[in-house]
Amino acid sequence: MEPGAAELYDQALLGILQHVGNVQDFLRVLFGFLYRKTDFYRLLRHPSDRLGFPPGAAQALVLQVFRTFDHMARQDDDKRRKELEEKMRREAGAAAEQELEAGPTADTDAEPAGPEQPVGRWGTGQKEAEPPGADAGAVEAPREPPTPPKGQEQFQRNPDSYNGAVRENYTWSQDYTDLELKVPVPEHVVKGRQVSVALGSSSIRVAVLEENGERVLMEGKFTHKVSTEGSVWSLEPGKCILVSLNKAGEYWWNAVLEGEEPIDIDQINKERSMATVDEEEHAVLDRLTFDYHQKLQGKPQSHELKVHEMLKKGWDAEGSPFRGQRFDPAMFNISPGAVQF
């Protein structure tokens, strides 16, 4: 699987997780699917078995995948710890520099005062003697909001902006058929009646209801049309309004609203999720999966089995030089292009 491809299924898996309500039942759904719909739990006990895994192979596969993501999680923990330590060091250094800068300024320019008067504090006579803007700079600096990510590479690292972007008042992501918007709301917005969402095929308006009226959080015209029948919204209390939009056409969007900065769609992951694949493509993928398992076990693949079936019909036919002999598939070397499916 290509890096980042797993995120394409996040929306579907999140829906399952929200429906069952806990991780244990979520895992039961996943492994139940493998039990009912695949050969994951079927054991290869006899040489004639053509589907399944050798004893212990399926369990080893699960452990291998678990350990892969467990290792990634530990790396993420180490990275966050190092980033936090680096941030604390930078803040401590910045605070020390501010103290060094403020000390000489107050001693040089301030009017004489009693020893009990603090230097550079709000509400004392020292403020008038300080250089203009000195206090304002010291107070406003921590209030500067963090710089939002701007490059597509940074957007791709965040599931909320995967194949999309982070905007001033919302984030958006997309796959081949759908978009997902997350519009942050104040913490006191916890009920659906506190929210107003007007969704049309060409426009959207999201607002919260307050005592003095509505406060619009997001409003504008879509760059492409959406299907309102397949689009829904929900409220995560105190966090955000989640809007799921079903695209009217199957193509990649470079922006949600007209007038916004477009993203570079050449830098996004354009792989299609299984949910967007039609029945014919599903059949091809199923065949490729079957061939993969057959190859791992050293068994005939689908194109070989099809030719073997045809050959068997004529093997013992009247006039065949092979009549009466045991059919041996190893006698034939069949290339994949020799068969049309």
Side-chain angles (χ1 to χ4, degrees):
M1 182 177 290
E2 293 294 329
E7 287 87 341
L8 294 173
Y9 311 104
D10 282 353
Q11 187 173 352
L13 295 174
L14 181 61
I16 297 173
L17 181 59
Q18 290 176 334
H19 180 75
V20 300
N22 60 76
V23 174
Q24 183 176 1
D25 288 340
F26 176 74
L27 292 175
R28 288 180 179 275
V29 171
L30 294 183
F31 283 96
F33 170 80
L34 294 174
Y35 169 72
R36 296 188 306 275
K37 301 295 184 180
T38 74
D39 61 340
F40 187 76
Y41 286 99
R42 183 176 295 182
L43 295 179
L44 293 172
R45 297 184 180 276
H46 306 286
S48 60
D49 290 342
R50 294 167 53 183
L51 293 176
F53 291 85
Q59 184 179 7
L61 181 61
V62 172
L63 288 175
Q64 180 184 10
V65 175
F66 171 82
R67 287 167 182 160
T68 297
F69 285 95
D70 184 63
H71 178 66
M72 292 170 60
R74 301 292 75 75
Q75 288 181 322
D76 291 342
D77 289 342
D78 292 340
K79 181 180 178 181
R80 282 192 293 267
R81 177 178 55 79
K82 292 177 180 178
E83 289 176 348
L84 180 59
E85 291 174 352
E86 179 63 25
K87 181 180 178 182
M88 293 175 66
R89 281 196 295 267
R90 288 198 303 266
E91 291 177 350
E97 289 178 3
Q98 288 180 358
E99 290 179 3
L100 290 174
E101 292 174 1
T105 303
D107 291 342
T108 302
D109 299 333
E111 293 292 332
E116 73 282 358
Q117 290 182 335
V119 178
R121 291 182 179 271
W122 290 98
T124 69
Q126 300 286 6
K127 182 178 178 182
E128 296 179 0
E130 291 176 354
D135 266 356
V139 174
E140 291 178 2
R143 295 182 182 177
E144 293 181 3
T147 303
K150 294 183 178 181
Q152 195 61 43
E153 183 178 351
Q154 292 176 291
F155 296 152
Q156 295 298 95
R157 296 172 186 167
N158 182 358
D160 293 340
S161 59
Y162 190 77
N163 284 352
V166 177
R167 295 301 175 223
E168 183 179 356
N169 53 344
Y170 73 98
T171 61
W172 68 281
S173 60
Q174 66 173 323
D175 59 24
Y176 196 57
T177 58
D178 300 284
L179 298 102
E180 186 171 280
L181 316 181
K182 283 192 174 182
V183 186
V185 298
E187 292 183 356
H188 68 270
V189 178
V190 295
K191 297 185 180 296
R193 61 172 177 267
Q194 296 175 274
V195 174
S196 172
V197 178
L199 180 61
S201 61
S202 302
S203 63
I204 187 173
R205 184 178 186 272
V206 180
V208 292
L209 307 180
E210 298 183 340
E211 294 181 357
N212 55 350
E214 287 188 347
R215 178 158 67 92
V216 178
L217 303 179
M218 175 187 180
E219 185 175 17
K221 292 185 177 181
F222 292 131
T223 55
H224 303 280
K225 290 186 178 295
V226 302
S227 171
T228 54
E229 292 183 359
S231 301
V232 296
W233 67 270
S234 61
L235 173 67
E236 292 187 16
K239 294 182 179 179
C240 69
I241 298 169
L242 180 63
V243 184
S244 297
L245 302 173
N246 181 235
K247 297 178 181 177
E250 295 183 347
Y251 35 75
W252 298 103
W253 291 29
N254 63 358
V256 175
L257 301 180
E258 293 181 356
E260 287 187 334
E261 180 183 357
I263 65 171
D264 184 356
I265 58 175
D266 290 331
Q267 296 185 17
I268 67 174
N269 187 342
K270 296 182 181 180
E271 293 181 356
R272 294 174 59 184
S273 69
M274 289 295 293
T276 66
V277 176
D278 59 29
E279 292 184 3
E280 183 177 348
E281 290 173 309
H282 262 299
V284 174
L285 292 173
D286 289 343
R287 177 168 57 83
L288 293 175
T289 302
F290 171 78
D291 287 347
Y292 174 74
H293 285 292
Q294 291 290 97
K295 187 174 182 180
L296 288 179
Q297 300 165 25
K299 297 180 178 180
Q301 300 177 41
S302 54
H303 67 281
E304 296 172 312
L305 292 173
K306 188 169 184 178
V307 174
H308 293 167
E309 183 180 352
M310 297 168 59
L311 291 173
K312 283 180 181 179
K313 291 180 180 179
W315 192 265
D316 285 327
E318 187 71 29
S320 171
F322 304 104
R323 188 173 186 180
Q325 300 181 34
R326 185 179 66 86
F327 179 76
D328 183 8
M331 296 174 58
F332 307 96
N333 184 15
I334 306 164
S335 66
V339 182
Q340 295 294 326
F341 288 91

